[in-house]
Amino acid sequence: MNAEARTYQKGEIPGIIAINADVCKGCDSCKRYCPTGAITGMFGAIHSIDVEKCINCGQCLINCPFGSIYETVDTVDTVIVKLQDKNVTVVGIPAPAVRVAIGEEFGMADGSLVTKEMYGAMKKAGFEILDNNFAADLTIMEEGTEFIVRARHALFGEEAHGHKVGPLPQFTSCCPAWVRYVETRYPALIPNLSSAKSPQQMAGPLAKTYGALEVWKKPPETIYTVGIMPCTAKKFEASRPEFTSAYHFLKKEGKAGSDTPYPDVDTVLTTRDIARLFKKMKIDFTKVGETDGGPLAEYTGAGTIFGNTGGVMEAAVRTAYKVLTGNELQPLEFKKVRGMKGVKSASVTLMDTKYGKEVTVNLAVVNGIHGNIEPVLESIMAGTSPYHFIEVMNCPGGCVNGGGQPIKSDGSSWLRVALPLFGWK
Amino acid sequence: MSKNQSWILKHPWSVRSFHYLLVLSFIPLAITGVVLFFKPFDQLTMNLYMRIHVVTGVILTLDAVAYFIIGFTRVIAFVKRSFSFSANDIKWFSILGGYPQKFLLRKKVAVPPMGKYNSGQKLFGICVLIGGTILIATGWGLWGFPHILPHSMAALFGTLHLVFGWLLILFLLVHIFLGIYMFDDFKAMFLHGKIPCEEAKEMAPLWVEREVVKIER
């Protein structure tokens, strides 16, 4: 591990999160939330962020009591210009956690589920919609089946066709802060990450290929994809140079329409950003009415629960169970991986009908990297980990508590600390 | 202290010792607070100032809590006096206790009769009572729990700490100036606790008339 080495590829956005020295009081709050110790500065002195160590999660930003931490990447005005350009089709990709939070920016009750109002506001602004829940369903089918391949390889020596099978335990890979954490701090464990892209990065190519050619009937190079995410690290993820799959696929097909590679996801707006965009465009979210999302806004409950801690694991277990046994998991809710505990674990025994053998799978869900991940990773490095499949979400609670979500002026996070003092549960 | 002169015990030992600790803690708190506000120095120096601010803040808290417990009756009496108002207070403020006339025009004007504390001192007392309590409470919150406080509460704590900090610093400058100007009172607070009876009759006639009892030795 060499945290001092340059940790960005060419084209990636470094330093998405920064501290305003004029506002910083040196109170040290941010350090308590930073999972990588990227924040420097002594108590009482102005703090700053080491961009090489930062994984862009934005937890410091949403938890700074004085609002001194901000995002350096703001493309709200750029997106508005694209929306007003008749030669461009702007495709919004709203994540599961956005629809339960954006209402707060417009005075609605916390946690209001406003999917159809969100579609309505997006349509009014000029977006086409590819719901990220749809892509989350794709991700979980990929991750779930990849896990089956890895497990069968480990247990029965089954080989995959055309590629090397990764080791167990398999990590989820949809959290970009977590992926960067592994890449910069535990590169030896990169093969353990699922090779499946995150829902955002599956949605981008889908929009520029199938969406452009089959749904909206537009030239792919005129499609401008906008991830609408609860997450600041998604801005970094979209800038990764390897995510130009749509261009390279279309190039082979002779349909790229450009000699310059374009990104799968052109830009990312956080929940706060999209709310600001609606306000700038004078769209009253509370009065816009309900609208359907269109053909690329169909999804299952598995995609929906991605935004919560344990959601990806629960969805993966359902998928793996169905693929291995041919039956639906009963009951469908896998409650052992729900809840706010730092590390949750569970075992599932299921029958692999292909091999006619019962298999017990040990699962873990890491709810927040900070303070939870090190022992899990160290046990894997030492070869003593009991787990086969591990979900990791950087932010406590999952994406619903992401760094791009509305900043609560009267949040209740302090209750979690205070309640044990008074007895609760 | 002349033995032929009559003296009144104005500041007993408990008050004086509370005041000593208050001086030793509040002045460093004020200086370090101003430095922390402007943040002019490097990391190590700013950290040193913050540490001094925290340590002296703890001393101030202990001092206030101890005095509240040990000198409870005096605290109650101080609160009562600070919050007792009459028409004389309006008159006193209308001429600002005669001090501007004295300092700027070298002129002595008639000042309405005052109790143990004049109207300006009562206002200062109220600011110290309320502002000091707020500074202590918000200081502890900002030091120990900013990360678990609701954001708006932390921001409110920050603002209150700043506003009352500056307010008391400005009051402190006036307090130090007038404290030294009334040198007998200054000596009483820092040395023996007593002021000359004649001066008390002039500065606080209502106090002498209504509350002071002669003790024969």
Side-chain angles (χ1 to χ4, degrees), chain A residues 20-27 29 32-33 40-47 61-66 407-411 413-415 417-418, chain B residues 36-39 41-51 54 142-159 162:
Chain A
N20 183 343
D22 291 335
V23 185
C24 177
K25 297 190 187 308
C27 74
S29 288
R32 298 173 201 250
Y33 291 94
T40 57
M42 299 181 81
F43 181 49
I46 295 165
H47 288 23
L61 188 158
I62 59 166
N63 284 296
C64 171
F66 305 107
I407 295 169
K408 297 293 294 168
S409 62
D410 287 300
S413 62
W414 57 281
L415 280 172
V417 181
Chain B
L36 289 167
F37 177 74
F38 288 108
K39 297 177 269 196
F41 301 124
D42 61 25
Q43 292 276 325
L44 277 172
T45 315
M46 289 308 300
N47 181 241
L48 175 66
Y49 274 90
M50 181 57 105
R51 287 181 182 192
V54 164
L142 293 168
W143 177 41
F145 325 107
H147 57 295
I148 54 170
L149 288 175
H151 283 192
S152 57
M153 191 187 284
L156 179 67
F157 274 28
T159 305
L162 188 68

Side-chain angles (χ1 to χ4, degrees), chain A residues 19 41 48 56 70 73 76 90 97 111 145 172 179 184 195 209 263 266 272 278 284-285 291 337 348 353 405 421:
Chain A
I19 297 178
S48 58
N56 310 304
Y70 65 99
V73 180
V76 168
V90 182
T145 48
T172 55
V179 171
T184 55
S195 61
T209 55
D266 289 285
R272 293 190 297 273
F278 290 148
D284 188 343
F285 194 87
T291 310
V337 291
V348 189
T353 49
Q405 293 287 67
L421 301 175

Side-chain angles (χ1 to χ4, degrees), chain A residues 213 220-221 246-258 262:
Chain A
L213 301 172
E221 69 275 16
Y247 171 80
H248 288 104
F249 171 78
L250 292 164
K251 188 81 179 165
K252 275 187 199 164
E253 301 279 311
K255 296 173 184 168
S258 167
Y262 38 75

